[in-house]
Amino acid sequence: MIKSISDTIYLFTFIFIIASCSGNKGDLLIPEEKLKAIFFDFHTAEYIINRAPSDIKDSLRQVYQFQIFSIHEVEKQDFMHDLDVLQDNPKEFFTFYEEVEKYGLDLKSTTLHNMNKDIKKVE
């Protein structure tokens, strides 16, 4: 979920920095739903990193990047390949990113719904 234009700029900058290692072109290697979750996690991480002291931002980026790839059980080079594929088609990338935003909103809605169910169980 995008909070501001500056968050969007930071996210795309972060993704383009990661994309400095280009792979072969072709189809996506990571299933689209998993890729949406990865993008959402990178966006969330970047939101946190941008609020951290500047002297630890680079270290935080490395830690979050490692954790995101580990959590989703994907290789960095597969993600880089897919990012490269998406960047080759800006319209597709924009549409995909809109789906990432929807994924984030759905996740938030589901989380709130589950929290409300848990609260009712306690009452």
Side-chain angles (χ1 to χ4, degrees):
M1 175 169 37
I2 298 176
K3 297 280 185 197
S4 69
I5 291 175
S6 65
D7 286 345
T8 304
I9 292 169
Y10 287 128
L11 175 64
F12 281 114
T13 301
F14 180 64
I15 290 172
F16 287 121
I17 289 171
I18 291 176
S20 61
C21 307
S22 295
N24 294 330
K25 308 278 189 232
D27 295 329
L28 296 177
L29 300 175
I30 301 170
E32 192 170 318
E33 286 304 311
K34 183 181 266 195
L35 197 57
K36 287 177 194 175
I38 294 168
F39 269 77
F40 180 77
D41 287 351
F42 271 116
H43 179 72
T44 302
E46 192 62 23
Y47 180 83
I48 295 166
I49 291 165
N50 286 330
R51 281 138 187 86
S54 58
D55 60 330
I56 65 168
K57 285 184 180 187
D58 289 338
S59 298
L60 276 178
R61 266 190 194 90
Q62 291 176 354
V63 169
Y64 280 124
Q65 181 180 358
F66 176 79
Q67 287 179 338
I68 290 168
F69 292 140
S70 294
I71 289 167
H72 294 283
E73 299 177 337
V74 297
E75 297 295 324
K76 178 180 178 179
Q77 58 268 23
D78 291 346
F79 175 77
M80 300 308 297
H81 171 273
D82 289 358
L83 180 59
D84 203 25
V85 169
L86 288 170
Q87 287 176 332
D88 282 346
N89 186 343
K91 287 182 184 179
E92 182 180 330
F93 186 75
F94 182 77
T95 301
F96 177 79
Y97 194 75
E98 286 179 330
E99 292 174 14
V100 171
E101 287 184 79
K102 184 181 179 317
Y103 169 87
L105 291 171
D106 291 346
L107 184 64
K108 178 181 176 183
S109 175
T110 301
T111 302
L112 291 174
H113 175 74
N114 290 339
M115 287 173 59
N116 286 333
K117 282 176 40 179
D118 290 342
I119 290 170
K120 287 179 183 179
K121 285 180 186 177
V122 173
E123 294 175 342

